[in-house]
Amino acid sequence: MGKTIIRVPATAANLGPGIDSIGAALHLYLTVIIEEKTEAWRVNHALGTEIPRDEHNLMVETALKVNPDLPAHQLTVMSDIPVSRGLGSSTSAIIAGIKIANELGDMNLTIPQQLNWAVKLGGTLDNVAPALMGQATVATAEGDEAHAIKLPLPDLQVLVFIPGQKLLARKSRAVLPEKLPLQTAVHASSVANVLVAALLKGDWDLASTMIERDEFHEQARSQLVPELNQIRAAAHELNITGTYLSGAGPTVVTFGTSPQLTILRAKLAKLDMAGSLRVIDLDQDGATVLTDA
């Protein structure tokens, strides 16, 4: 029996004003190799002692929720997605679990069906949709039924600033306002609408401007991630727009060309911020499955 290799990209969610709706896929991956059948699930990895190596692993739990009758297998897992940094590490495990169920259970789930499962199992739309489909996506859901459209991105890269410390999701959610004035909500929604239209039209100048005009969450969360405003200001000095807070944070993402981001990274390195700076490609394809027969 051959091996099956599943690869799921990292995601930069809450793309600008697209809170819980718009996200992009990045060229960082969770890779899972499905190996031989075993009496009990075994998950081999070097990701730390806090991540289970048995049926309690999130990938296996997800797979068994999709298909409880799956036979146990050995899985080998590798990942270069930082954990709890706003780059979709949990989402990648959920998507991998759905793919495992689809492969081992011969379920022939379509991408829309996989998306519905991801939402049903607690994945956020701005993470699960780009992880499945690649590039950028805009998505919505009513109950467990989700709808997503792939948005084209220009031939750019991203500079990601990954702080050394995690930002707990509950702490990040706690600072968000419970209500917004109607006028603010309407304007914030219009910015998100223009962002989507600009991406579909291929107008990156307009899209990158809209990315920086969020009114839903960034202002509140910037107090927890002061690097956001520092990086945006440094980018503007180089005439680079398109900086935003990925997910709930703390990672900060900036779109740009390779030469632009190389100069920006050198500029930011002088600020001695506590974290790492990486230039990363965008993922084009989303989650993939390769079977070595």
Side-chain angles (χ1 to χ4, degrees):
M1 177 180 175
K3 297 179 180 179
T4 297
I5 302 173
I6 297 169
R7 194 174 76 158
V8 184
T11 50
N14 286 352
L15 201 163
I19 185 169
D20 292 344
S21 178
I22 308 175
L26 306 182
H27 201 272
L28 296 172
Y29 297 96
L30 169 71
T31 302
V32 183
I33 304 173
I34 304 176
E35 300 184 288
E36 68 271 14
K37 285 186 180 180
T38 50
E39 292 185 3
W41 287 95
R42 294 204 305 261
V43 184
N44 300 325
H45 65 78
L47 304 177
T49 56
E50 69 278 8
I51 298 180
R53 302 172 186 271
D54 54 16
E55 71 275 10
H56 299 296
N57 185 281
L58 179 56
M59 291 183 301
V60 179
E61 289 182 340
T62 299
L64 292 175
K65 287 176 182 176
V66 176
N67 189 332
D69 298 324
L70 296 178
H73 278 69
Q74 175 170 290
L75 308 176
T76 296
V77 180
M78 298 158 283
S79 180
D80 50 11
I81 304 175
V83 176
S84 299
R85 296 298 196 279
L87 288 174
S89 57
S90 296
T91 293
S92 66
I94 291 172
I95 298 301
I98 294 170
K99 294 288 188 183
I100 291 169
N102 197 37
E103 292 301 308
L104 294 182
D106 293 323
M107 299 179 69
N108 296 315
L109 295 173
T110 65
I111 293 299
Q113 289 172 329
Q114 293 176 45
L115 180 62
N116 289 342
W117 267 112
V119 172
K120 182 178 180 179
L121 296 175
T124 57
L125 286 168
D126 50 346
N127 279 307
V128 295
L132 275 171
M133 301 168 67
Q135 292 196 53
T137 60
V138 57
T140 188
E142 184 69 30
D144 294 336
E145 184 177 2
H147 303 277
I149 294 175
K150 193 169 183 176
L151 301 173
L153 288 173
D155 185 18
L156 297 173
Q157 294 177 304
V158 292
L159 174 66
V160 295
F161 169 72
I162 307 172
Q165 293 186 343
K166 299 178 182 179
L167 177 60
L168 296 178
R170 62 178 179 272
K171 183 177 181 180
S172 183
R173 285 193 298 267
V175 301
L176 295 179
E178 293 185 4
K179 298 180 181 179
L180 288 176
L182 177 61
Q183 185 175 357
T184 300
V186 169
H187 184 262
S189 178
S190 72
V191 172
N193 294 339
V194 172
L195 168 61
V196 171
L199 288 175
L200 290 172
K201 187 180 178 182
D203 187 343
W204 178 248
D205 287 340
L206 179 57
S208 63
T209 300
M210 295 299 106
I211 284 173
E212 297 194 352
R213 293 189 179 176
D214 168 74
E215 297 177 59
F216 289 115
H217 76 111
E218 278 192 357
Q219 184 174 355
R221 283 170 166 161
S222 62
Q223 61 184 290
L224 303 177
V225 189
E227 295 88 354
L228 171 63
N229 291 329
Q230 289 179 278
I231 294 170
R232 185 172 283 160
H236 285 182
E237 291 176 1
L238 299 172
N239 294 318
I240 303 170
T241 55
T243 296
Y244 73 101
L245 186 65
S246 176
T251 292
V252 178
V253 175
T254 302
F255 285 92
T257 64
S258 180
Q260 284 177 322
L261 298 182
T262 298
I263 296 171
L264 177 60
R265 180 171 59 181
K267 183 180 182 70
L268 294 174
K270 296 178 182 179
L271 299 181
D272 197 27
M273 297 183 294
S276 61
L277 292 160
R278 300 177 62 180
V279 176
I280 302 172
D281 290 330
L282 298 169
D283 172 85
Q284 300 296 316
D285 302 317
T288 58
V289 179
L290 175 64
T291 299
D292 178 13

